[in-house]
Amino acid sequence: FAVPVYQFEWPDITDPQGEHRDFIAYPGTCVPHDAHGDTTPSSDVADMGWTKTGDITYMDDVYKAKIPINYHVGCMGLAPESHSFVDSIPPMPTGGNLDNKRIGIGTTMYYPVEVAGALLSMGDAHAAQGDSELDGTGIETSITGKFKISVIKAADFTPAQSLLDFPLGETESEWIVHGFTETDYLETYADNPGDIYGASSIDKAMKNAFTQTRKFVMAEYGLTDAEATTIITQGVDFGMTQLVDGNWGVHGVVPKIIFSGDAGMDTSEPSPS
Protein backbone atom coordinates (compact mmCIF):
# COMPACT_ATOMS: atom_id res chain seq x y z
CA PHE A 1 0.00 0.00 0.00
CA ALA A 2 0.93 3.64 -0.44
CA VAL A 3 0.15 5.85 2.56
CA PRO A 4 0.11 9.70 2.47
CA VAL A 5 2.81 11.35 4.57
CA TYR A 6 1.85 15.02 4.23
CA GLN A 7 -0.16 17.54 2.24
CA PHE A 8 0.62 21.16 1.44
CA GLU A 9 -1.18 24.45 0.91
CA TRP A 10 -1.10 25.85 -2.60
CA PRO A 11 1.80 28.35 -2.71
CA ASP A 12 2.05 31.74 -4.37
CA ILE A 13 4.01 30.83 -7.50
CA THR A 14 4.96 32.34 -10.86
CA ASP A 15 5.49 30.29 -14.00
CA PRO A 16 8.46 30.62 -16.41
CA GLN A 17 6.40 33.00 -18.60
CA GLY A 18 5.87 35.35 -15.65
CA GLU A 19 2.21 34.50 -15.05
CA HIS A 20 1.06 34.48 -11.43
CA ARG A 21 -0.41 31.06 -10.60
CA ASP A 22 -2.75 31.03 -7.63
CA PHE A 23 -4.46 28.09 -9.33
CA ILE A 24 -3.58 24.76 -10.97
CA ALA A 25 -3.51 25.62 -14.67
CA TYR A 26 -4.58 22.96 -17.15
CA PRO A 27 -2.78 20.81 -18.26
CA GLY A 28 -0.26 21.22 -15.44
CA THR A 29 1.64 23.36 -12.95
CA CYS A 30 5.01 22.71 -11.35
CA VAL A 31 5.58 23.46 -7.66
CA PRO A 32 9.10 24.38 -6.42
CA HIS A 33 8.92 22.52 -3.13
CA ASP A 34 10.89 23.19 0.04
CA ALA A 35 12.74 20.50 1.96
CA HIS A 36 10.33 18.87 4.39
CA GLY A 37 10.81 15.93 6.72
CA ASP A 38 12.88 13.32 4.95
CA THR A 39 12.18 14.86 1.52
CA THR A 40 14.85 16.91 -0.22
CA PRO A 41 13.59 18.16 -3.60
CA SER A 42 15.82 18.60 -6.62
CA SER A 43 16.29 21.98 -8.25
CA ASP A 44 14.68 20.82 -11.53
CA VAL A 45 11.48 22.85 -11.13
CA ALA A 46 13.29 26.03 -10.09
CA ASP A 47 15.79 25.55 -12.91
CA MET A 48 12.88 25.63 -15.39
CA GLY A 49 11.96 29.09 -14.10
CA TRP A 50 9.21 28.39 -11.58
CA THR A 51 9.45 30.69 -8.54
CA LYS A 52 7.43 31.19 -5.36
CA THR A 53 6.92 33.77 -2.66
CA GLY A 54 7.66 32.57 0.87
CA ASP A 55 7.77 29.08 2.30
CA ILE A 56 5.23 26.36 1.63
CA THR A 57 2.96 25.28 4.50
CA TYR A 58 3.00 21.52 4.99
CA MET A 59 0.48 19.48 7.01
CA ASP A 60 1.72 16.24 8.53
CA ASP A 61 -1.52 15.27 10.29
CA VAL A 62 -3.28 13.73 7.28
CA TYR A 63 -5.62 10.78 6.96
CA LYS A 64 -3.55 7.64 6.51
CA ALA A 65 -5.40 6.22 3.54
CA LYS A 66 -4.14 2.86 2.20
CA ILE A 67 -3.89 3.02 -1.59
CA PRO A 68 -3.25 -0.43 -3.15
CA ILE A 69 -0.03 -0.53 -5.16
CA ASN A 70 -0.61 -1.11 -8.87
CA TYR A 71 2.54 -0.43 -10.86
CA HIS A 72 1.80 0.60 -14.43
CA VAL A 73 3.21 2.68 -17.26
CA GLY A 74 1.29 5.89 -17.88
CA CYS A 75 2.94 6.81 -21.17
CA MET A 76 3.90 4.16 -23.74
CA GLY A 77 3.64 4.24 -27.49
CA LEU A 78 5.16 4.68 -30.93
CA ALA A 79 6.09 7.74 -32.96
CA PRO A 80 3.45 9.28 -35.25
CA GLU A 81 4.18 9.83 -38.92
CA SER A 82 2.56 13.24 -39.25
CA HIS A 83 4.85 15.39 -37.08
CA SER A 84 8.59 15.32 -36.39
CA PHE A 85 8.02 16.01 -32.69
CA VAL A 86 4.92 16.08 -30.49
CA ASP A 87 3.74 17.12 -27.05
CA SER A 88 4.08 14.12 -24.74
CA ILE A 89 0.80 14.79 -22.93
CA PRO A 90 -2.15 14.11 -25.32
CA PRO A 91 -2.58 10.46 -26.42
CA MET A 92 -2.95 9.47 -30.07
CA PRO A 93 -3.59 6.41 -32.28
CA THR A 94 -0.04 5.12 -31.78
CA GLY A 95 -0.36 5.32 -28.01
CA GLY A 96 1.44 7.79 -25.80
CA ASN A 97 0.09 9.17 -22.56
CA LEU A 98 -2.92 6.87 -22.12
CA ASP A 99 -2.71 6.96 -18.31
CA ASN A 100 -4.61 3.69 -18.08
CA LYS A 101 -3.92 1.89 -14.80
CA ARG A 102 -4.41 -1.45 -16.60
CA ILE A 103 -1.16 -1.14 -18.59
CA GLY A 104 0.93 -3.15 -16.18
CA ILE A 105 2.01 -6.71 -15.47
CA GLY A 106 0.15 -9.21 -17.65
CA THR A 107 -1.18 -6.73 -20.21
CA THR A 108 -0.29 -6.85 -23.90
CA MET A 109 -0.58 -3.59 -25.82
CA TYR A 110 -1.07 -3.39 -29.59
CA TYR A 111 -0.02 -0.14 -31.29
CA PRO A 112 -0.31 0.66 -35.01
CA VAL A 113 3.11 1.33 -36.54
CA GLU A 114 3.40 4.51 -38.62
CA VAL A 115 7.18 5.00 -39.04
CA ALA A 116 10.13 2.75 -39.80
CA GLY A 117 11.45 1.12 -36.65
CA ALA A 118 8.27 2.06 -34.74
CA LEU A 119 10.36 4.16 -32.27
CA LEU A 120 8.91 2.87 -29.01
CA SER A 121 9.17 5.11 -25.97
CA MET A 122 7.74 4.92 -22.48
CA GLY A 123 7.75 6.71 -19.14
CA ASP A 124 5.43 8.32 -16.59
CA ALA A 125 5.36 5.26 -14.33
CA HIS A 126 2.81 5.19 -11.53
CA ALA A 127 2.65 3.21 -8.30
CA ALA A 128 -1.12 3.73 -8.30
CA GLN A 129 -3.80 5.82 -9.97
CA GLY A 130 -7.57 5.82 -10.17
CA ASP A 131 -9.53 5.95 -13.40
CA SER A 132 -9.67 9.59 -14.62
CA GLU A 133 -6.38 10.65 -12.91
CA LEU A 134 -8.61 13.48 -11.78
CA ASP A 135 -6.22 16.04 -10.29
CA GLY A 136 -3.53 15.47 -12.92
CA THR A 137 -1.14 12.97 -11.36
CA GLY A 138 -1.02 9.41 -10.15
CA ILE A 139 1.50 8.34 -7.52
CA GLU A 140 4.45 9.15 -9.72
CA THR A 141 7.45 6.85 -9.44
CA SER A 142 10.20 5.12 -11.40
CA ILE A 143 10.21 1.44 -12.28
CA THR A 144 12.56 -1.16 -13.66
CA GLY A 145 10.66 -3.74 -15.66
CA LYS A 146 10.94 -6.49 -18.23
CA PHE A 147 9.11 -5.85 -21.49
CA LYS A 148 8.62 -8.23 -24.40
CA ILE A 149 8.46 -6.44 -27.76
CA SER A 150 6.97 -8.23 -30.78
CA VAL A 151 6.34 -7.11 -34.36
CA ILE A 152 3.20 -8.38 -36.09
CA LYS A 153 3.50 -8.18 -39.86
CA ALA A 154 0.51 -7.04 -41.92
CA ALA A 155 0.24 -10.47 -43.53
CA ASP A 156 -0.44 -11.95 -40.08
CA PHE A 157 -3.02 -9.39 -38.92
CA THR A 158 -6.34 -10.56 -37.54
CA PRO A 159 -9.37 -8.80 -39.07
CA ALA A 160 -9.51 -6.47 -36.06
CA GLN A 161 -5.80 -5.66 -36.19
CA SER A 162 -6.12 -4.60 -39.81
CA LEU A 163 -8.53 -1.85 -38.69
CA LEU A 164 -6.56 -0.72 -35.67
CA ASP A 165 -6.33 3.07 -35.36
CA PHE A 166 -6.25 3.15 -31.56
CA PRO A 167 -4.17 1.53 -28.80
CA LEU A 168 -5.62 -1.89 -27.92
CA GLY A 169 -4.96 -3.71 -24.67
CA GLU A 170 -5.34 -7.41 -23.94
CA THR A 171 -5.24 -9.44 -20.74
CA GLU A 172 -6.01 -13.09 -20.20
CA SER A 173 -9.68 -12.29 -19.64
CA GLU A 174 -10.35 -8.90 -21.28
CA TRP A 175 -9.85 -6.58 -24.23
CA ILE A 176 -9.25 -2.88 -23.49
CA VAL A 177 -10.35 -0.48 -26.23
CA HIS A 178 -9.25 3.16 -26.06
CA GLY A 179 -11.18 6.14 -27.38
CA PHE A 180 -10.36 9.85 -27.21
CA THR A 181 -11.91 13.24 -27.77
CA GLU A 182 -10.23 13.06 -31.19
CA THR A 183 -9.11 9.73 -32.65
CA ASP A 184 -6.07 11.58 -34.07
CA TYR A 185 -5.76 15.09 -32.68
CA LEU A 186 -2.60 15.58 -34.75
CA GLU A 187 -4.78 15.30 -37.85
CA THR A 188 -7.66 17.41 -36.53
CA TYR A 189 -5.34 20.17 -35.32
CA ALA A 190 -2.44 19.60 -37.71
CA ASP A 191 -1.32 23.24 -37.81
CA ASN A 192 -1.55 23.82 -34.06
CA PRO A 193 -1.86 20.53 -32.12
CA GLY A 194 -2.02 22.44 -28.83
CA ASP A 195 -5.57 23.49 -29.71
CA ILE A 196 -6.71 20.12 -28.36
CA TYR A 197 -6.42 21.54 -24.84
CA GLY A 198 -9.24 23.95 -25.55
CA ALA A 199 -11.39 21.28 -27.19
CA SER A 200 -11.37 18.51 -24.57
CA SER A 201 -14.71 16.71 -24.46
CA ILE A 202 -15.77 13.69 -22.43
CA ASP A 203 -18.90 13.38 -24.60
CA LYS A 204 -16.84 13.02 -27.77
CA ALA A 205 -14.44 10.63 -26.01
CA MET A 206 -17.35 8.40 -24.94
CA LYS A 207 -18.82 8.41 -28.44
CA ASN A 208 -15.42 7.56 -29.89
CA ALA A 209 -14.82 4.76 -27.37
CA PHE A 210 -18.17 3.20 -28.26
CA THR A 211 -17.46 3.49 -31.99
CA GLN A 212 -14.04 1.89 -31.59
CA THR A 213 -15.41 -0.88 -29.36
CA ARG A 214 -18.19 -1.67 -31.82
CA LYS A 215 -15.75 -1.71 -34.73
CA PHE A 216 -13.39 -3.99 -32.80
CA VAL A 217 -15.91 -6.63 -31.69
CA MET A 218 -17.56 -6.70 -35.12
CA ALA A 219 -14.21 -7.41 -36.79
CA GLU A 220 -12.79 -9.72 -34.12
CA TYR A 221 -15.90 -11.87 -33.66
CA GLY A 222 -17.82 -11.43 -36.93
CA LEU A 223 -20.80 -9.65 -35.37
CA THR A 224 -23.39 -7.52 -37.08
CA ASP A 225 -23.83 -3.89 -36.06
CA ALA A 226 -27.01 -4.76 -34.16
CA GLU A 227 -25.39 -7.73 -32.40
CA ALA A 228 -22.37 -5.67 -31.40
CA THR A 229 -24.41 -2.78 -30.04
CA THR A 230 -26.63 -5.09 -28.00
CA ILE A 231 -23.70 -7.03 -26.56
CA ILE A 232 -21.79 -3.84 -25.73
CA THR A 233 -24.84 -2.44 -23.96
CA GLN A 234 -25.30 -5.55 -21.84
CA GLY A 235 -21.74 -6.71 -21.19
CA VAL A 236 -19.07 -4.02 -21.72
CA ASP A 237 -17.94 -1.54 -19.06
CA PHE A 238 -16.79 1.95 -20.06
CA GLY A 239 -14.67 4.13 -17.80
CA MET A 240 -12.96 7.50 -17.86
CA THR A 241 -9.30 6.72 -18.50
CA GLN A 242 -8.04 10.25 -17.97
CA LEU A 243 -9.57 13.74 -17.92
CA VAL A 244 -6.29 15.64 -17.77
CA ASP A 245 -4.29 15.01 -20.93
CA GLY A 246 -5.93 17.33 -23.44
CA ASN A 247 -7.19 14.54 -25.66
CA TRP A 248 -9.42 13.07 -22.96
CA GLY A 249 -9.85 9.31 -22.88
CA VAL A 250 -12.57 6.74 -22.30
CA HIS A 251 -11.89 3.00 -22.38
CA GLY A 252 -14.14 0.03 -22.94
CA VAL A 253 -13.38 -3.20 -21.05
CA VAL A 254 -14.64 -6.17 -23.08
CA PRO A 255 -14.80 -9.50 -21.18
CA LYS A 256 -13.66 -12.35 -23.43
CA ILE A 257 -16.07 -14.75 -21.76
CA ILE A 258 -18.90 -13.04 -23.64
CA PHE A 259 -17.61 -14.67 -26.82
CA SER A 260 -16.77 -18.09 -25.39
CA GLY A 261 -19.79 -19.81 -26.95
CA ASP A 262 -22.28 -21.85 -24.92
CA ALA A 263 -22.27 -20.37 -21.45
CA GLY A 264 -23.99 -23.47 -20.08
CA MET A 265 -27.43 -21.96 -19.45
CA ASP A 266 -30.15 -24.60 -19.37
CA THR A 267 -32.86 -23.53 -21.83
CA SER A 268 -34.81 -26.80 -21.76
CA GLU A 269 -38.41 -26.90 -20.66
CA PRO A 270 -38.92 -28.03 -17.06
CA SER A 271 -40.30 -31.54 -16.65
CA PRO A 272 -43.92 -31.72 -15.55
CA SER A 273 -44.31 -32.63 -11.89
Side-chain angles (χ1 to χ4, degrees):
F1 293 94
V3 179
V5 176
Y6 61 80
Q7 291 181 296
F8 65 95
E9 291 184 359
W10 192 253
D12 186 349
I13 60 179
T14 302
D15 69 19
Q17 287 72 47
E19 181 179 359
H20 179 234
R21 294 282 192 92
D22 56 356
F23 54 89
I24 301 176
Y26 177 67
T29 298
C30 296
V31 176
H33 276 280
D34 301 320
H36 179 73
D38 296 331
T39 302
T40 303
S42 73
S43 63
D44 291 350
V45 172
D47 292 344
M48 289 190 292
W50 294 86
T51 61
K52 62 182 176 63
T53 301
D55 296 332
I56 296 176
T57 300
Y58 293 90
M59 291 82 73
D60 296 313
D61 185 18
V62 296
Y63 185 79
K64 301 300 183 182
K66 295 173 66 177
I67 309 298
I69 294 296
N70 171 36
Y71 289 113
H72 60 277
V73 181
C75 187
M76 180 189 297
L78 312 180
E81 182 180 24
S82 59
H83 292 66
S84 57
F85 66 91
V86 294
D87 184 344
S88 65
I89 296 176
M92 49 197 166
T94 55
N97 197 29
L98 299 181
D99 278 325
N100 192 327
K101 66 179 185 178
R102 295 157 187 82
I103 305 177
I105 295 173
T107 297
T108 297
M109 292 299 300
Y110 300 89
Y111 301 110
V113 176
E114 294 187 359
V115 300
L119 304 181
L120 173 69
S121 62
M122 66 181 75
D124 189 30
H126 300 153
Q129 176 208 297
D131 279 338
S132 82
E133 199 185 21
L134 191 59
D135 79 349
T137 63
I139 300 178
E140 310 295 325
T141 189
S142 60
I143 62 171
T144 300
K146 293 182 179 180
F147 300 86
K148 179 181 178 180
I149 313 300
S150 302
V151 176
I152 303 174
K153 297 293 186 179
D156 299 320
F157 282 176
T158 66
Q161 288 170 349
S162 67
L163 301 175
L164 206 63
D165 60 350
F166 62 89
L168 174 68
E170 182 182 14
T171 69
E172 184 176 352
S173 59
E174 299 170 333
W175 297 102
I176 307 162
V177 177
H178 292 90
F180 311 116
T181 297
E182 297 290 341
T183 296
D184 188 351
Y185 82 98
L186 294 172
E187 178 182 292
T188 305
Y189 303 106
D191 294 334
N192 188 9
D195 286 350
I196 186 62
Y197 290 110
S200 306
S201 168
I202 194 64
D203 290 342
K204 292 180 69 175
M206 177 64 225
K207 181 178 180 180
N208 183 254
F210 161 66
T211 300
Q212 298 287 33
T213 302
R214 180 182 59 188
K215 178 177 70 178
F216 170 74
V217 297
M218 287 176 66
E220 184 72 13
Y221 296 104
L223 305 181
T224 66
D225 188 326
E227 289 171 334
T229 301
T230 299
I231 289 171
I232 289 169
T233 301
Q234 308 304 331
V236 173
D237 289 326
F238 289 94
M240 295 176 289
T241 324
Q242 50 76 22
L243 301 179
V244 295
D245 295 335
N247 201 17
W248 289 355
V250 170
H251 59 268
V253 178
V254 183
K256 292 180 179 179
I257 195 172
I258 292 174
F259 309 99
S260 61
D262 183 5
M265 183 168 64
D266 185 0
T267 59
S268 62
E269 293 292 329
S271 301
S273 56

